[in-house]
Amino acid sequence: MEARKVHNMDFQEDSSSGTTGNDLGQRYRHAGDLTGEPPTRPFAEISITVPWGHISGKWYGPQNVQPILGLHGWQDNAGTFDLLMPLLSPDVAFLSIDLPGHGLSSRLPDGCYYNSVDNLYVIRLIMKQYKWEKVSLVGHSMSSIICFVFAAVFPDKVDMIIGIDALKPHQRPYPSVIRTMETRLDEFLREDERNRSKNEPPSYTYDEIIERVYLGTFHSVNKEHCKHMMARNIQKSEKYPDKYFFCRDRRLKFYNYAIGSQELCVEMAHRIKCPYMFIKATQSSYFEDKKYYDEVLAVLLKKPNFEYVEANGSHHVHMNSPEAIIEPVNSFIQRFGPAAAAAERQKAKEAKESKL
C-alpha cells in the first residue's frame, strides 16, 4: 500500500503541477488551523500516491479496519463531513478525501480536463492502494451522483452507499448541453492559461472569504459553518499578509459533468445491487425536471435494500443539521458498513468451507 500518513503540517511540496497554491506547507487541514479551535473529531491527515501526485484525506477513527470512503460535492473538500463526524459511532472508521484539484489533493496536470466520471477511476485507485476488494461510500451532491454511477458500473465492488441530496446524473435539454459544452471549454482554456501563469489569484480578508463561500453555496451552508468548507481550499497571500486566496484548481468551475441520457440512468438504477440509502433535503431543488428524478427513484424503491430518507434542511443538510440524519445513517452503517459486510463475508466463507 503506497499510502503515507502525514501528521500536523509536515507536508511536502507538491510538484505535480507546479502551480501557485500547491505548497502544502502553507495550507490548512481544518478550520482550527485558522481559528485555533480543536478539530470537531480527531483525525489523521493522510496522503495517497496517485500517478499525477497525491490524494489527501482525513482519516477518522480506528486505522486497523477498512474505513468508509467519504466524497464531497463540487468545489467542496474533505471538510464537508467535519460536523457529521462527531456524531458517528466512535468505532466507525471514515476516510474523507479531497478529490483531484480540490482541497489539499494534487491538481490534474496542466492541459488536462476535469470530467466527473474520472472520479470512478480515483475510487478504484484508492481501492487498489489499500487492497480493498469492496468499498463503502458516502457522497454528497456531485459525489452522491458518483456513488450512484460507481455502484452501477461496479455492482460487485460496493458494500453500501449513502447518497446525500443528488440522486443521479442530471438531465438537461440537448441544446443547453451543447451550449454549455462550448462555453465551458472556452472558459476552461482561459483558466488553464491562468494556472500556467503562476500569478497569485485575487485575495480577501478572512471575513470576505467566508462571505464568498457563503454566497458561493447560494446560502446552502450556514455562515458559521463555512469555515469548515473554506479551510482546505485557501492559502495565505504572499502579497498581503492579512489576506487569503482560493487555491483549489480554478479549472474545476468548468468541468464536464455530463454522464449520459435518462435511459442510461434508468439502466444504472436497475444494475445497483448493494444496500443503498438516499437522503433528500426537503429545502433543496432537484437540479433537473423532477420527472427524471422520480423515474429513477421508482426503480430504486422496488429494491429490498434501498432506503429513502427525507430530512428537513438545505442542500448541505449534513453540515447544517447533521443531527437530522445521523440516526438513520448510524443505523445503516451498523447494518451494512465495512464491519458488517466483512462479518457477513466471513460467515459465508465458513459456511462454504463446512460443506467441503
Side-chain angles (χ1 to χ4, degrees):
M1 184 192 328
E2 294 187 28
R4 55 186 175 87
K5 193 185 306 176
V6 185
H7 296 280
N8 300 321
M9 294 299 288
D10 184 23
F11 292 113
Q12 300 295 318
E13 184 171 352
D14 172 20
S15 59
S16 62
S17 64
T19 51
T20 298
N22 279 348
D23 183 355
L24 298 183
Q26 303 176 42
R27 303 291 298 279
Y28 308 102
R29 302 164 305 152
H30 69 107
D33 286 338
L34 286 156
T35 65
E37 60 194 299
T40 57
R41 181 184 175 188
F43 68 91
E45 184 72 32
I46 63 100
S47 183
I48 303 167
T49 301
V50 291
W52 62 92
H54 70 273
I55 295 292
S56 292
K58 305 168 74 172
W59 189 307
Y60 298 89
Q63 296 179 37
N64 60 343
V65 297
Q66 181 175 335
I68 294 167
L69 185 61
L71 307 171
H72 59 77
W74 176 50
Q75 296 197 88
D76 294 345
N77 57 66
T80 193
F81 296 113
D82 279 8
L83 296 159
L84 189 66
M85 288 301 99
L87 304 180
L88 285 185
S89 175
D91 63 337
V92 171
F94 195 101
L95 173 55
S96 179
I97 66 164
D98 300 320
L99 291 169
H102 298 78
L104 301 179
S105 289
S106 298
R107 299 174 176 183
L108 294 185
D110 291 339
C112 292
Y113 197 71
Y114 287 94
N115 291 277
S116 59
V117 74
D118 291 346
N119 291 306
L120 276 64
Y121 173 60
V122 172
I123 297 171
R124 293 292 289 124
L125 278 177
I126 294 172
M127 292 176 67
K128 183 177 180 181
Q129 293 280 34
Y130 283 112
K131 297 180 172 60
W132 297 337
E133 293 183 9
K134 294 193 175 188
V135 66
S136 296
L137 298 168
V138 174
H140 170 247
S141 192
M142 174 186 76
S143 285
S144 179
I145 297 171
I146 292 167
C147 292
F148 172 92
V149 176
F150 189 89
V153 175
F154 301 105
D156 296 320
K157 296 187 182 298
V158 187
D159 279 327
M160 58 142 249
I161 55 175
I162 298 175
I164 303 174
D165 203 46
L167 179 62
K168 53 176 283 295
H170 302 141
Q171 301 302 305
R172 302 282 189 270
Y174 290 151
S176 173
V177 172
I178 294 171
R179 286 195 302 272
T180 299
M181 290 173 64
E182 176 189 12
T183 57
R184 280 176 177 262
L185 278 170
D186 284 345
E187 295 291 346
F188 179 89
L189 284 168
R190 185 190 68 189
E191 294 299 345
D192 195 48
E193 291 172 356
R194 284 183 177 178
N195 277 354
R196 292 197 297 273
S197 75
K198 309 298 188 293
N199 293 329
E200 184 178 293
S203 57
Y204 311 91
T205 66
Y206 181 87
D207 289 341
E208 287 172 341
I209 214 162
I210 287 285
E211 185 68 20
R212 293 186 75 86
V213 172
Y214 179 60
L215 295 175
T217 67
F218 301 99
H219 305 173
S220 175
V221 179
N222 291 350
K223 191 174 290 189
E224 64 268 26
H225 299 326
C226 287
K227 59 186 177 183
H228 299 287
M229 196 69 77
M230 173 192 72
R232 294 174 75 90
N233 273 346
I234 67 168
Q235 182 174 328
K236 199 168 186 63
S237 170
E238 295 180 5
K239 295 180 179 179
Y240 310 101
D242 61 338
K243 292 187 177 183
Y244 308 85
F245 62 85
F246 288 102
C247 48
R248 64 193 172 203
D249 195 338
R250 291 178 293 188
R251 294 176 297 175
L252 290 167
K253 292 184 290 184
F254 307 107
Y255 89 123
N256 178 23
Y257 57 81
I259 292 177
S261 66
Q262 177 67 4
E263 290 78 12
L264 179 60
C265 292
V266 171
E267 177 62 24
M268 286 180 174
H270 281 295
R271 281 177 55 87
I272 295 174
K273 299 192 301 186
C274 67
Y276 183 180
M277 172 182 282
F278 179 68
I279 300 170
K280 182 72 187 85
T282 57
Q283 297 172 25
S284 179
S285 73
Y286 292 91
F287 310 103
E288 62 180 342
D289 191 317
K290 190 172 179 291
K291 67 181 181 182
Y292 300 124
Y293 170 95
D294 288 339
E295 184 180 14
V296 168
L297 183 62
V299 173
L300 295 171
L301 285 170
K302 294 176 182 178
K303 297 176 180 288
N305 54 3
F306 178 77
E307 298 184 19
Y308 177 75
V309 175
E310 289 190 347
N312 184 30
S314 69
H315 181 54
H316 287 79
V317 64
H318 63 299
M319 295 189 70
N320 295 333
S321 308
E323 67 283 349
I325 66 171
I326 194 59
E327 184 175 345
V329 165
N330 273 336
S331 173
F332 195 79
I333 291 172
Q334 183 180 13
R335 287 177 286 138
F336 303 115
E344 190 64 29
R345 283 194 291 272
Q346 181 62 28
K347 182 179 177 181
K349 179 182 178 182
E350 292 173 353
K352 181 178 179 181
E353 291 175 347
S354 67
K355 295 178 181 178
L356 297 178

